[in-house]
Structures are given as C-alpha cells and as structure tokens.
Amino acid sequence: MKYSKAIASLAFTIALCYALNRGWGTAPAFGRFLSPFTGFWVNAEKPLSDKPVQGSLQLAGLQDEVTIEYDELGIPHIFANNDHDLYLAQGYVTAKDRLWQMEFQTHYAAGRLTEIVGEKALESDKYNRRMGAVYGAEKSLAGMMEDPQSKVALEAYSEGVNAYIDQLKVRTLPVEYKLLGYQPERWTPIKSALFLKNMSFVLASGTDDLRMTNILRKYGREVAEELFPNYPFEESPIIPTGTPQDFTPLPIPKAPADFVGIGSMKASTERDKGIGSNNWAVSGSKSASGLPLLANDPHLTLSLPSIWYQMQLVGPNVNVYGATMPGTPNVISGFNKDIAWGVTNVGADIVDWYEVKFKDAKMNEYWHDGQWKKITKRPERYIMKNGDVVLDTVLFTHHGPIVYLDNEKPFKKNIPTGHALRWIAHDKSQELTTFYQLNRAKNYDDYVKALSFYAAPAQNFVFASNQDDIALWVNGKFPLKAKLQGKYILDGTDKMADWQGFIPHAQNPHVKNPARGFVSSANQSSTDPSYPYYINWEFAASERGRRINQRLEGMSKITVDSLRALQNDNYNLKAAGILDKLISLIKAPTAKQAKAIKVLQTWNKQNDVAEIAPTIFETWSNLLYESIWKDEFAYDENIPMKYPSLDKTIQLIKQEPTAKWFDNVNTKNKVETLEELASTSLIATLDSLTKWQKADMGDTWAWANYKSTDIKHLIPGLDAFSKMNVNIGGGTGIVNATTERTGPSWRMIIQLGKNNAVKGYGVIPGGQSGNPGSPHYDDMVETWRQGKLNELLFLQNKNEKSARIKKTIKLTK
C-alpha cells in the first residue's frame, strides 16, 4: 500500500511538472512563468540609487565609443561620434526598455499574431495583410533605403536591437514573452517600416465611403449634400482665412460620373473620433521671452507600455531631444537648439474604394478603361502557434488589393466587399528622411526641405525657430483629384475615376509668420473653401480648434506655464454653444428634470473631474443626437449609413427647429417635434444615470467617474499591468481631449532661446520602461494626470555635469 501511494504521488508529481512546463493551446507554460529562477519574479527592478552609477558594456558592431547617460526618469541621453553608432545605440537602449512592445506591434502590423496567440488572431492577421500593410511596408522600405543616411540609420538600429536580443537569456526575457510563451526574433529594417506603416493604419485607414454611398443610394445626392456639407457651419481652419496663396494651381481633373455601385454595401462602423491631436506655436511678439514657444500633444490610444519613448540623440551635426517611437530611429516630435516641431493628424482623404468588375468567376481579369486587365495574385502564409499553416491569396488591381470578395465577411465592417483599395500608404516613400533632416534642421528652409520627403500618414507639422519664425504645413502626399472624388465609392472601370497625379508639395496648405502671431491645428479643416485642391470633405469637429484659437488670440506675454494651462483646458465649447437652446426646449419640466436643469444652468462649462453637469450634458446630447438620426440612418443594420455631423445637427437645432428630420418616421399618425425629443431624451438621460449608479443625482455622477479613463496594457484584459480609472477631466471635443481610452499620449512645450538657451518640458502617460516590474513603468502617470510637465534635461555634451544623471554606461566595440 505504501508503495502504491508513493508511486501514485510520484506519477502525479511527474504529470504536474509536465503540465506546468509545456504550453496548452494559447496558454503559456505556467511552471516556467512562475519559476523563482526564470519566471516573472526575475523581472523586478530596483529603483536607481541617488548615488550615480558607472558601468561599461562591450557591444559588437560599434565603430567607436558611445556614452549613455540616464536621468532620474530613466530617459537615455546618447552621445556618439558617428551616425552608425548613434542609431545602433538608439536601437539597443530602446530594445532594452521596450523590446516586447516593438516586436508585438510589428507582429500585429505584419499580420503575424497567429504565431503568438494562435488561430484566434487569424482574421485580424488576414485583415492587415489584405489591407496591404506588408506590401506597403516593403514599398516604403525600398524608398527609405534609397537614401544613404536612412539606410545607415535603419541598419544600425537593427544591429542595436539585435545586440540586446543576443544578451538575453530565458530568465531575463521581458515578462510578456514568458506570459505568452515565445521568444524574440531577429530585428530587420522591414520591421521598422512595418512600425511606420502601422501608424498609417492607426491614423489614416479610416473610411466612410461605404456608408456615404448607402446614403447616396437611399436619399439621392441633394439630400446627401444637404446633410453632409463639405465645410462646417462653424470653423476656424488651420491655415487662417485670407492667407495668400504663393503658387499657381494645377488644373483640377474633371469629375468622374456619379456612381452608386452594384456590389455589396453591407455593415460598417464609425471611425474612432477620439484620436486626434493639438499643436501650436506662438511668435516672439506674443511671448514673454520675445522668442517663439511651441506646444504639441498628440492624442492616441492610451496604453502601457506608452506609445512614445523619450530620448536625446547627440552626434556629428545633431543634438536633438524629444519623443521617439519604439521600433524606428530618429526623434519624431521634439527640438534641437535652433528649432522645434510637432505633429497632428490631417485626416486627408487618401483612401478610396473602387468597385471591381471581374471577367468571370476565375477572377483572373478585371475591366478597366475599355479593356480586360490582368489580376496580380499575392500569396500569403499564416503560421499558427501550434505549427499549422493557413494559406491565402490576395488579388490586386492597378488600384491596389481587393481586401474582401463578395462571398467573404470583412473583419472590420467599414470595408466594402468586391472593391479594390487605393491607399497612399501603398506607395514608395521616405518618411525617415524627413525626421533625419528635421532632427538636424537649423531654420525654416531646412524644415520645408525635410517635409518635402514626407508622404504618409499626412500630418500637420508645426514649427518654431530661434530666428523668430513660426510656421505650419499641412503635409503629406495628397492625390490630385476632382472635388469630392472619394466621398463616395468609385467606379473601378472608369479611367476618369483614377487618381490623376499628386498635388505638388510646394502647393500643400501652409502659412509662415501670420499677422495674428500664432499657428495651430487640432485636426479641423485644413483651409477655408478658397483652397483650390480637394484634401477631404470632412475633418474633425471644430470645437478644439476654435477653442485653441480663441484662447491664443486673447493671450499675450505667453509663457510655458500659460501654454501648459491651455493644453489642460477643459472648457466645453459644444455646451457653451448649444446648452441654453436645449434647456429652452424643455417647456414643462418635471421635478427631476428641473433639478438637472438647475445643475446645468449653474455649470461653468468646465469638464472637470468632480463636475456632475458634464455627465448629464454629454449623455443628454448624445441621446438626443441618436434620437434625431437613428430612425432615418439606422433603419437596417445590413445597410449602415453615417449619421450627419454634430455641426450639422447643432445648425438644425438652432436655425431649423421645425425640420422634417426631427419627426420619427417609424411612428404612424404622429409627428414628433424637437421639443418632444429634447424632453424624452433628458428623461432617458436621468433614468440611465440613476440606473448606472443605483443612486439619484449626486457626487457619484462625477464626470471622471462617468468617463473612467483607462491606460491599458497592450495585451487585452491584463488589468494588473494597467492603470485603471485615472481621475482626469477633459473629453471628446475638449482641448484636454482625454476620453475613456484615448488622450494626450505626449505633452511637450518648447521655449526657444539663443545660444543653446532652449528649454523643453514634457511628459508621457506612463514611463520609459516597458517592464511592469520597473519603477519607470508608470512613474509619469500622476504627473500627466495632474496636467504637469517635467523639465527635459537637454545636455550639450557628454562632459556636462548634472545632478539629474543617475547612471552612465560606456559602450565599447
């Protein structure tokens, strides 16, 4: 009996050890993950000592010695004697802090998540490859490698990443590799290209063409153009109205014939309206210092590890500081001793869909310009985590990939089936050249030259220099199209519907040193309607841009702190414009409505954390918006249509209160009025908020509680590695555009100065390290939440002394 128990115990122990030390499906080997010798415990890091630490490291591939100084926030300051070593060191230190993030994001962009998590990622992977992410990255890489300096940077960066990977052992792998049960692979320049291409996906792959065409089919062009006007009723465009044009425009192509399509027009979803950005620069005439200041806060998905990684790069002819993107060399948003620059998304219409007419079911040829043309077929191979292989083929016309065929179900529902995608991100480009040159730019002319190499995603590049120049270019490679060409689906058989070339870079919208003393952008309309070319028919809502311009117009003796306050501005311009009108529509309020109205009437229009009014207003305005448009524009879930804009809705409420659109077409023998919709939606608002908190109106309805901003880890559901319910104000359409999942991903303010006197301030909503066990994983979140900025340590040379330097590493060959 004793032996049988012992044997059973031994067998159980062996089985348990076996089970814990192998993966099961997508689950990791938990024995190895929990091991005190090689598991996640090993990843814990101690805080840097107050006493500076010195160290050295031999790194293969270096041509000379490199010095890396780490400040108290873990931000590296790299000093190298040549470009090769500078970018090798950048790759090395970025990988040291962010390797898993770099790899995971490029696996996503490459459509290779199946190799990490298995079959559940297959449709996501297919979507990315069918959209042409890898195809576009290959084209971009070819363009970037044509520039000798970009080639050096890309190849050296890869060497640096691989030098770090070569030092890793199982026990020192980043914790996510242990959790997901895989190991890093060699870094190559195509991965950097994939990372850049992924930013085009995030910022410029949205499309409303399908839903707009459904509207055109159902209501006709007159209604479509009435409800979806091509310029807002209220706007303060990026390029100030009246800015003179310094060019003679090219002839505008003739518009193709109207086309409503015959193919599939099924499900689609709204684009994410939370992603945007702010930037501005003020001239010396408006600043306290007499020289320009520049501010930038790109709004992206809030995530851990943070999207951005701060760094200073010092080498021959370059000393630059700013935000880099883990996975690619150079600084993306930053400053040097002479200039500063920052970016916001343009939202240009550089994605068009062309309905394809195949010759037959074999789909080897398609009809275009009066002839049958050959389809190009690109094979794709997906490897599952268990080793299984899935094969796929993507069909290409001269426009681009046919992302889904008519008999397929799209992964994302804004993709029309049976249509070819024309997207600027598929073209050869040289974005790295832009940032390489910007990092070294000394004046306005250098800035303009650098921008001439930039294609996608289109960005509003703001600029300031210590020569007291400020400027802003709406920058990218914009197709030369007829007005509104691309607002709706296009006819893939019609040559006239093809892109007819590109707007010359020198004719992109731009302004230098405007009389008002500042430039700014917040994703609103690039220009007024006098600009001769078509960039897009719809941009982000105007509230952020109008509020920024109102504030800057009234400011003088501007300082870093006054611009910091503007970045954190919580004023709700939408409420200021419409709330009184909405309240006036409630003719006989109930006791509960009257209590809510009193709160709204005494509200200072600030979306601050403890305010109850923004919770009521945003819920009420959203429910009213839905009740106005849902009956006409969501009548069939298989034929989705875009709702008219907030701007158009406010215009109707204010100027056409008896418009037919306020009537619910689904009710018989009854005509609803705007007053009824306002009252019923306010009742629904108060009922839903009471149900949400299981309590009547009170402190629990506070705005921050309702909005509930989360900064989540890139692995869904990993809340232990996330910062949940961050207590912060702001919101959609607010200058401080912090929503549930998006917000300022990097705040920067630069005060230009003469003789190396430039000063920089910045913060990210996270930390430098991607390791949840590091004290620098999320140590800037509280500073960011409070709306504060860290002074950026801008060293002039490696011998400069600073009490903020906590660690020095010498890299030798």
Side-chain angles (χ1 to χ4, degrees):
M1 188 68 162
K2 288 192 298 182
Y3 293 111
S4 62
K5 285 184 177 180
I7 291 170
S9 177
L10 179 62
F12 174 77
T13 301
I14 292 171
L16 182 61
C17 289
Y18 173 77
L20 288 174
N21 283 279
R22 59 153 289 179
W24 295 89
T26 59
F30 282 103
R32 293 197 290 270
F33 179 68
L34 298 172
S35 166
F37 306 106
T38 61
F40 75 96
W41 318 94
V42 181
N43 295 92
E45 296 178 10
K46 295 180 181 178
L48 289 172
S49 169
D50 287 338
K51 184 178 180 181
V53 175
Q54 305 282 333
S56 62
L57 181 68
Q58 207 168 14
L59 215 59
L62 284 176
Q63 298 173 359
D64 206 339
E65 185 179 85
V66 173
T67 299
I68 304 172
E69 308 267 25
Y70 284 92
D71 65 27
E72 80 282 8
L73 292 171
I75 298 168
H77 307 256
I78 301 175
F79 299 86
N81 296 321
N82 57 72
D83 275 1
H84 173 272
D85 289 356
L86 184 65
Y87 294 114
L88 189 150
Q90 184 182 10
Y92 176 81
V93 299
T94 307
K96 189 172 183 294
D97 278 331
R98 301 290 190 90
L99 178 64
W100 178 81
Q101 175 191 15
M102 294 162 62
E103 269 230 310
F104 185 79
Q105 290 179 328
T106 52
H107 267 70
Y108 169 79
R112 294 180 56 203
L113 287 184
T114 55
E115 299 170 29
I116 300 174
V117 300
E119 189 176 0
K120 63 184 177 183
L122 181 58
E123 291 308 313
S124 170
D125 283 355
K126 281 186 175 181
Y127 166 75
N128 278 353
R129 293 203 209 175
R130 287 181 172 205
M131 285 286 288
V134 179
Y135 170 80
E138 291 167 353
K139 288 290 194 71
S140 291
L141 179 61
M144 290 186 287
M145 296 296 266
E146 290 174 359
D147 177 358
Q149 293 163 328
S150 291
K151 185 174 187 293
V152 168
L154 283 167
E155 291 179 343
Y157 189 90
S158 295
E159 288 181 57
V161 176
N162 291 329
Y164 176 68
I165 292 173
D166 290 342
Q167 296 174 359
L168 287 172
K169 296 179 171 47
V170 172
R171 69 185 306 274
T172 56
L173 282 173
V175 67
E176 291 90 350
Y177 289 106
K178 298 174 181 180
L179 183 62
L180 295 172
Y182 74 111
Q183 294 198 10
E185 63 184 20
R186 307 295 290 175
W187 192 270
T188 59
I190 188 64
K191 287 179 174 283
S192 294
L194 281 163
F195 182 85
L196 291 169
K197 200 55 56 182
N198 189 49
M199 291 311 298
S200 285
F201 257 69
V202 171
L203 296 172
S205 64
T207 173
D208 288 321
D209 303 10
L210 172 59
R211 292 184 300 136
M212 288 302 301
T213 301
N214 283 336
I215 293 166
L216 191 64
R217 281 175 159 181
K218 181 170 177 63
Y219 292 111
R221 181 169 290 277
E222 184 177 350
V223 170
E225 294 300 317
E226 175 201 345
L227 291 183
F228 300 87
N230 303 307
Y231 195 77
F233 293 94
E234 288 191 275
E235 184 60 287
S236 180
I238 291 170
I239 306 304
T241 299
T243 299
Q245 292 175 2
D246 55 359
F247 59 86
T248 301
L250 301 176
I252 304 301
K254 182 181 176 182
D258 279 357
F259 180 72
V260 296
I262 57 173
S264 171
M265 292 290 162
K266 295 184 179 178
S268 69
T269 53
E270 290 272 2
R271 289 184 287 176
D272 187 347
K273 292 181 171 60
I275 291 179
S277 304
N278 304 322
N279 65 20
W280 58 81
V282 297
S283 70
S285 64
K286 289 182 73 72
S287 77
S289 69
L291 284 174
L293 293 99
L294 180 143
N296 187 202
D297 55 294
H299 308 152
L300 295 165
T301 300
L302 299 174
S303 63
L304 289 171
S306 291
I307 288 173
W308 301 97
Y309 181 74
Q310 294 181 65
M311 184 179 291
Q312 182 178 6
L313 298 171
V314 185
N317 304 313
V318 63
N319 185 354
V320 64
Y321 188 116
T324 72
M325 297 197 113
T328 185
N330 298 301
V331 166
I332 305 300
S333 168
F335 66 99
N336 58 38
K337 70 181 182 65
D338 297 312
I339 75 154
W341 76 96
V343 293
T344 69
N345 196 37
V346 172
D349 185 5
I350 42 73
V351 175
D352 284 334
W353 295 94
Y354 291 83
E355 185 170 285
V356 177
K357 178 182 178 181
F358 290 108
K359 184 175 184 179
D360 51 39
K362 294 179 181 178
M363 294 183 293
N364 291 324
E365 296 177 273
Y366 68 103
W367 185 256
H368 176 261
D369 191 24
Q371 58 185 304
W372 294 109
K373 297 185 176 180
K374 294 287 186 184
I375 287 282
T376 301
K377 298 185 178 182
R378 179 183 171 103
E380 299 288 359
R381 187 170 182 264
Y382 303 88
I383 303 173
M384 303 297 109
K385 188 172 183 178
N386 64 7
D388 290 348
V389 174
V390 174
L391 301 178
D392 190 27
T393 300
V394 184
L395 308 182
F396 278 74
T397 72
H398 72 288
H399 291 118
I402 303 170
V403 181
Y404 290 100
L405 300 174
D406 282 335
N407 62 347
E408 295 177 316
K409 182 179 179 181
F411 175 70
K412 290 196 174 180
K413 297 178 180 179
N414 63 338
I415 307 300
T417 60
H419 290 67
L421 167 64
R422 180 68 176 102
W423 185 20
I424 196 66
H426 293 154
D427 292 11
K428 185 185 288 189
S429 58
Q430 292 184 325
E431 283 79 19
L432 275 190
T433 301
T434 293
F435 294 111
Y436 181 92
Q437 294 192 7
L438 275 179
N439 287 194
R440 292 158 175 78
K442 299 182 185 303
N443 51 47
Y444 175 78
D445 290 341
D446 290 348
Y447 153 79
V448 174
K449 180 186 175 186
L451 297 193
S452 68
F453 294 95
Y454 191 86
Q459 298 287 288
N460 301 301
F461 281 81
V462 71
F463 166 87
S465 76
N466 60 9
Q467 294 103 54
D468 202 13
D469 286 327
I470 61 172
L472 194 149
W473 278 66
V474 180
N475 200 66
K477 189 177 180 182
F478 300 120
L480 181 63
K481 300 196 286 188
K483 290 286 184 181
L484 309 185
Q485 182 180 342
K487 185 174 183 177
Y488 308 99
I489 294 289
L490 295 166
D491 183 358
T493 71
D494 183 4
K495 182 181 179 182
M496 295 300 296
D498 290 6
W499 291 1
Q500 304 297 317
F502 296 93
I503 298 171
H505 178 263
Q507 299 183 20
N508 283 354
H510 60 275
V511 62
K512 179 186 180 187
N513 297 330
R516 67 184 186 179
F518 69 89
V519 293
S520 75
S521 74
N523 317 111
Q524 76 270 40
S525 298
S526 298
T527 69
D528 66 25
S530 68
Y531 182 67
Y533 300 116
Y534 170 69
I535 294 180
N536 203 350
W537 67 275
E538 182 185 47
F539 295 85
S542 69
E543 281 76 17
R544 274 187 297 117
R546 288 192 288 126
R547 175 63 176 170
I548 290 167
N549 290 347
Q550 287 172 4
R551 288 286 307 274
L552 290 175
E553 285 276 8
M555 293 169 71
S556 61
K557 302 293 183 183
I558 294 171
T559 65
V560 168
D561 203 52
S562 56
L563 292 189
R564 181 191 62 80
L566 179 51
Q567 285 184 332
N568 289 278
D569 186 291
N570 284 334
Y571 190 73
N572 194 321
L573 196 61
K574 178 176 76 170
I578 193 65
L579 182 56
D580 288 346
K581 176 64 177 179
L582 295 185
I583 290 173
S584 73
L585 296 172
I586 311 301
K587 301 302 184 184
T590 65
K592 199 170 183 179
Q593 285 178 323
K595 185 179 179 182
I597 288 170
K598 184 176 180 180
V599 169
L600 292 169
Q601 287 174 326
T602 58
W603 177 33
N604 62 4
K605 310 299 188 297
Q606 298 286 338
N607 275 28
D608 293 337
V609 291
E611 291 283 349
I612 297 169
T615 301
I616 299 171
F617 172 72
E618 293 296 344
T619 307
W620 184 19
S621 60
N622 288 338
L623 287 176
L624 176 59
Y625 177 76
E626 181 81 4
S627 66
I628 292 170
W629 301 117
K630 185 175 181 179
D631 55 317
E632 286 96 356
F633 293 92
Y635 75 99
D636 185 338
E637 64 180 13
N638 292 316
I639 309 176
M641 294 183 285
K642 180 180 174 68
Y643 284 12
S645 69
L646 173 66
D647 177 75
K648 176 63 181 180
T649 307
I650 291 174
Q651 185 261 342
L652 286 176
I653 291 172
K654 284 183 169 183
Q655 299 178 20
E656 300 181 50
T658 60
K660 67 176 183 179
W661 302 104
F662 298 124
D663 176 39
N664 187 336
V665 298
N666 296 321
T667 58
K668 305 298 182 184
N669 304 317
K670 187 178 188 308
V671 176
E672 284 78 13
T673 65
L674 176 58
E675 288 84 356
E676 288 179 80
L677 296 183
S679 182
T680 56
S681 58
L682 180 55
I683 291 170
T685 292
L686 301 176
D687 288 346
S688 67
L689 292 176
T690 301
K691 184 178 180 180
W692 161 58
Q693 278 299 320
K694 298 183 175 62
D696 289 336
M697 185 178 4
D699 292 344
T700 59
W701 287 24
W703 175 240
N705 190 21
Y706 180 76
K707 179 164 65 70
S708 185
T709 296
D710 297 331
I711 307 175
K712 292 189 175 183
H713 190 274
L714 288 172
I715 298 177
L718 203 57
D719 290 355
F721 293 168
S722 305
K723 296 288 285 187
M724 309 295 285
N725 300 313
V726 179
N727 196 36
I728 189 170
T732 301
I734 310 297
V735 177
N736 176 21
T738 309
T739 69
E740 293 87 343
R741 292 288 293 113
T742 65
S745 59
W746 157 242
R747 287 198 186 106
M748 174 184 79
I749 298 176
I750 307 302
Q751 179 178 297
L752 277 301
K754 299 284 189 179
N755 302 317
N756 298 327
V758 60
K759 290 185 178 180
Y761 303 83
V763 70
I764 56 176
Q768 285 292 101
S769 178
N771 176 15
S774 167
H776 295 307
Y777 178 65
D778 57 9
D779 57 336
M780 296 187 220
V781 170
E782 183 59 15
T783 302
W784 174 86
R785 185 194 71 79
Q786 293 179 15
K788 298 178 180 179
L789 300 171
N790 297 313
E791 185 171 353
L792 306 178
L793 179 60
F794 187 56
L795 299 171
Q796 299 306 308
N797 58 67
K798 65 182 178 182
N799 298 316
E800 183 178 347
K801 303 298 182 183
S802 171
R804 295 178 61 184
I805 297 300
K806 301 301 179 184
K807 185 178 181 181
T808 301
I809 304 293
K810 299 283 188 182
L811 301 182
T812 59
K813 57 183 179 177

